[in-house]
Amino acid sequence: MRWSHDTAAQLPEGDRRIRLLIADDEHLIRGALEALLGLETDIEVVASCDNGLTAAELAVEMRPDVCLLDLEMPGLDGLEAASRILSTVATKVVIVTRHARPGVLRRALATRVSGFVPKSTPASELADVIRDVVAGKRYIDQEIAATALMAERCPLTDRELDALRHSRSTLRVQQIATRMHLAPGTVRNYLSTAMAKLGASSRHEAAEKAWEQGWI
């Protein structure tokens, strides 16, 4: 994790650089993004970290113009971090991912993410995406958008998705019920219904199927 002081504030009016936060748990990729995007004269990397929870904390502290978040991260994934950041900080979020599961884009748009790009995007193009979202535009990679349009609609309710999301861990039903502030029997009903809809023989199998589709 690293951060820098606001040198952009010292620039002449109109020459203020875009303040960027980068979060990616792959150190080589994060380092490369820092170095390459830092070469852009109008972009300043003010903070970087390797997990979503720290990214949310740094966003509050550093108040970046744009947060560039990896989709798959420990602590909080990119979308969870984006949701937390956008609820507390006036910033833009761009998600980068190696593999966009079908339903993830719909979740990203619901979270008010401004950009969604693959990790294969060249740094120069990524810099343009960052400039576009700062200008109020939204950028979605065409291939990711096409995949999302062809994806199956999620048949699960929000509560069923929440129960399955918790089921990807080692938590017991009683513990899931406590976290969801529900009775254990109610949680079992949600899980049973989700299993039936997905044709799964266990809650863990149902959770995995939902994750593969990008619904959780």
Side-chain angles (χ1 to χ4, degrees):
M1 176 181 71
R2 74 163 194 89
W3 57 90
S4 66
H5 296 294
D6 186 6
T7 57
Q10 302 170 9
L11 296 175
E13 188 66 29
D15 291 335
R16 183 180 180 276
R17 283 181 284 175
I18 297 169
R19 292 165 49 79
L20 179 67
L21 180 153
I22 299 174
D24 194 314
D25 63 330
E26 295 185 72
H27 296 277
L28 287 175
I29 290 178
R30 189 173 77 251
L33 288 173
E34 284 188 62
L36 293 172
L37 292 174
L39 293 174
E40 300 290 331
T41 58
D42 59 341
I43 295 176
E44 178 189 14
V45 180
V46 296
S48 70
C49 60
D50 62 2
N51 68 87
L53 186 58
T54 301
E57 294 170 349
L58 283 174
V60 172
E61 178 184 350
M62 303 302 296
R63 302 283 166 169
D65 299 304
V66 179
C67 298
L68 187 66
L69 308 178
D70 184 21
L71 178 62
E72 301 291 345
M73 290 189 293
L76 299 173
D77 68 24
L79 293 185
E80 291 168 334
S83 179
R84 185 170 299 191
I85 290 169
L86 291 171
S87 68
T88 56
V89 182
T91 186
K92 304 289 186 180
V93 172
V94 175
I95 297 290
V96 294
T97 181
R98 190 179 303 282
H99 172 63
R101 289 169 283 125
V104 170
L105 179 56
R106 289 197 180 101
R107 290 174 56 206
L109 296 178
T111 309
R112 296 185 294 115
V113 163
S114 297
F116 205 106
V117 298
K119 282 193 173 182
S120 58
T121 304
S124 59
E125 291 184 22
L126 187 54
D128 286 337
V129 171
I130 291 169
R131 295 182 186 105
D132 282 346
V133 300
V134 168
K137 300 177 183 178
R138 173 174 274 175
Y139 179 88
I140 307 296
D141 176 76
Q142 291 184 354
E143 189 171 331
I144 292 175
T147 301
L149 288 173
M150 296 170 60
E152 179 184 353
R153 289 283 180 178
C154 178
L156 306 174
T157 66
D158 288 342
R159 282 300 201 179
E160 290 163 359
L161 290 170
D162 285 342
L164 289 182
R165 189 174 291 110
H166 288 301
S167 292
R168 295 199 74 229
S169 67
T170 57
L171 294 175
R172 298 189 299 275
V173 170
Q174 177 67 54
Q175 293 170 307
I176 294 174
T178 299
R179 294 200 177 191
M180 293 181 66
H181 306 289
L182 296 171
T186 302
V187 172
R188 290 191 183 91
N189 287 339
Y190 284 135
L191 291 171
S192 177
T193 303
M195 288 164 54
K197 288 179 179 178
L198 299 180
S201 59
S202 71
R203 63 186 175 98
H204 297 293
E205 181 185 349
E208 191 61 24
K209 285 187 175 185
W211 183 85
E212 288 172 354
Q213 288 297 322
W215 297 333
I216 59 175

